[in-house]
DNA sequence: TTTT
DNA sequence: TTTT
């Protein structure tokens, strides 16, 4: 079945990096995603989405993101529940990311812009091709 | 900012239709979205996503969907929180849908297939508008 | 950067399965995706999106899909261009799928429903890993 | 049916604003979306996606975007075809946007941050409306 | 070259 | 409170 999420927002705090007992890295953080419409008071609110990424991605997020970083994340919604101390069920919803883009990096690193080859040419073409 | 969700899954129960004090229709339901991978035990699990739609969409969902209906929904993640009786915050995550497709309808109704004609029309408009 | 597509539609013909010179399987097909609104004449039109999937997915699509099959596909938009015989550039846009769901299969196969158990397990792990 | 696209990329040139014969604004532009993986030569390539937005959105894009602007766009894939001078069919694929985010704006304007207050309000409404 |  |  289909379960696909795309978010662009800012970290509400530094990400938290932990490791499972098997040694797998997990990073968790909340994204503040400003809404694209105003409430009755004319203000813009935000949704605060809980996100989780695994392995190499987790380490990258921990290394490159801080409170306030603008990121794009794609992934899926995951739900789970657990019993709290008082014995009642708590339902939790997270976004599990399979890709994260760091959108306020000044410039994309490691981008050897070969579009030179393709892009520049393309541009010319777009010119020429009218 | 960007906040976009697409889900395809089945209703876990009949949708619930209610009205706000202003008379606006809201339908709520849970979607069971089977995961596309197996757990360690070789079984497929599901995520149970809480969904909410408003107005005409709410009434359509209430009219056309039942427990087990297969639907596609597109929308966004919305978060909110409230204080429970004991004074602690409860965090809630829902998908607010802006479009719902009924995927087990035998055949799409009112589909008169007319590709070609209208596309050419579109083209002429754009031509003219240069 | 972010490039994410989700489509649900029907195959306009049987998929075509081919192999690259290195022996990698590729399946191509077109999806007819009915629009969710009517044109001025009150008719529903469709978009005909060219899709491509690789490897195991290609073979699954070739085995399980036929003209008219309802599928969901997630992936990304890919563009390329080539020079035709007359020396002018042709621009091509395809959706490259990374996941395909067969939506008119009577029932999901191999789905053994086990919510609860495994979710709790996941939770325990996370607890431990703090 | 479902047809949903999310892209984040940079404009390859300034957008072009035109008007249909009925006076409706249309803006067209190409987005360069860097791929998240390298080719055999270790370089990052891009997809060049043709985009189109209408009405107020078209005017906003024309006013606020320039060559190189980083934007996020959500919308759907639209296909059409036309007959060229030589009488053969040309197939065209565009993304028609229903929302555009300007991602290199220094800071979101008019964002008065009010989480909590309004969320509680929403909740009360729902309570009342049962 | 277009599906139900 | 969980679907096929």
């Amino acid at each position: 079945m289909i379960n696909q999420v795309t978010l662009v927002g800012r970290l509400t705090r530094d990400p938290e990096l932990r490791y499972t007992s098997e040694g797998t890295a997990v990073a968790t953080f909340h994204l503040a995603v400003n809404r694209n419409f105003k409430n009755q008071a004319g203000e813009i609110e935000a949704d605060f989405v809980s996100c989780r990424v695994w392995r190499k991605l987790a380490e990258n997020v921990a290394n490159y993101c801080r409170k306030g970083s603008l990121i794009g994340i794609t992934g899926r919604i995951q739900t789970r529940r657990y019993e709290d101390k008082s014995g009642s069920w708590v339902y939790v919803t997270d976004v599990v990311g399979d890709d994260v883009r760091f959108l306020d990096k000044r410039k994309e690193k490691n981008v050897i812009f070969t579009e030179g080859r393709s892009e520049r040419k393309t541009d010319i073409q777009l010119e020429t091709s009218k």
Side-chain angles (χ1 to χ4, degrees), chain A:
Chain A
M1 292 182 154
I2 291 177
N3 183 340
Q4 200 176 34
V5 175
T6 308
L7 301 172
V8 173
R10 294 189 181 276
L11 296 220
T12 61
R13 328 176 83 207
D14 291 357
E16 287 185 26
L17 182 66
R18 292 175 302 161
Y19 290 86
T20 65
S21 41
E22 290 82 26
T24 313
V26 214
T28 53
F29 53 91
H30 281 81
L31 266 194
V33 184
N34 291 144
R35 294 183 186 166
N36 302 329
F37 53 89
K38 304 198 172 122
N39 62 16
Q40 295 96 311
E43 305 148 334
I44 286 185
E45 300 175 32
D47 294 290
F48 298 93
V49 185
S50 168
C51 298
R52 177 190 310 282
V53 295
W54 293 88
R55 279 168 274 269
K56 192 67 196 148
L57 240 194
E59 288 168 342
N60 285 337
V61 163
N63 285 333
Y64 298 127
C65 295
R66 288 290 162 270
K67 179 179 175 172
S69 300
L70 181 70
I71 69 165
I73 184 170
T74 59
R76 61 192 185 81
I77 294 179
Q78 183 162 93
T79 60
R80 51 181 229 276
R81 60 176 192 182
Y82 63 90
E83 233 171 321
D84 69 8
K85 327 92 240 245
S86 76
S88 53
W89 288 105
V90 179
Y91 293 86
V92 183
T93 299
D94 301 296
V95 167
V96 176
D98 51 47
D99 195 25
V100 170
R101 297 290 111 195
F102 307 121
L103 297 174
D104 44 21
K105 267 170 32 184
R106 295 314 118 226
K107 39 156 46 226
E108 307 265 328
K109 286 202 317 233
N110 298 70
V111 175
I112 305 171
F113 198 44
T114 63
E115 290 114 335
R117 215 157 23 94
S118 46
E119 256 180 18
R120 212 133 77 226
K121 254 195 301 187
T122 296
D123 246 47
I124 288 164
Q125 266 168 359
L126 284 178
E127 233 73 278
T128 338
S129 67
K130 283 194 201 168

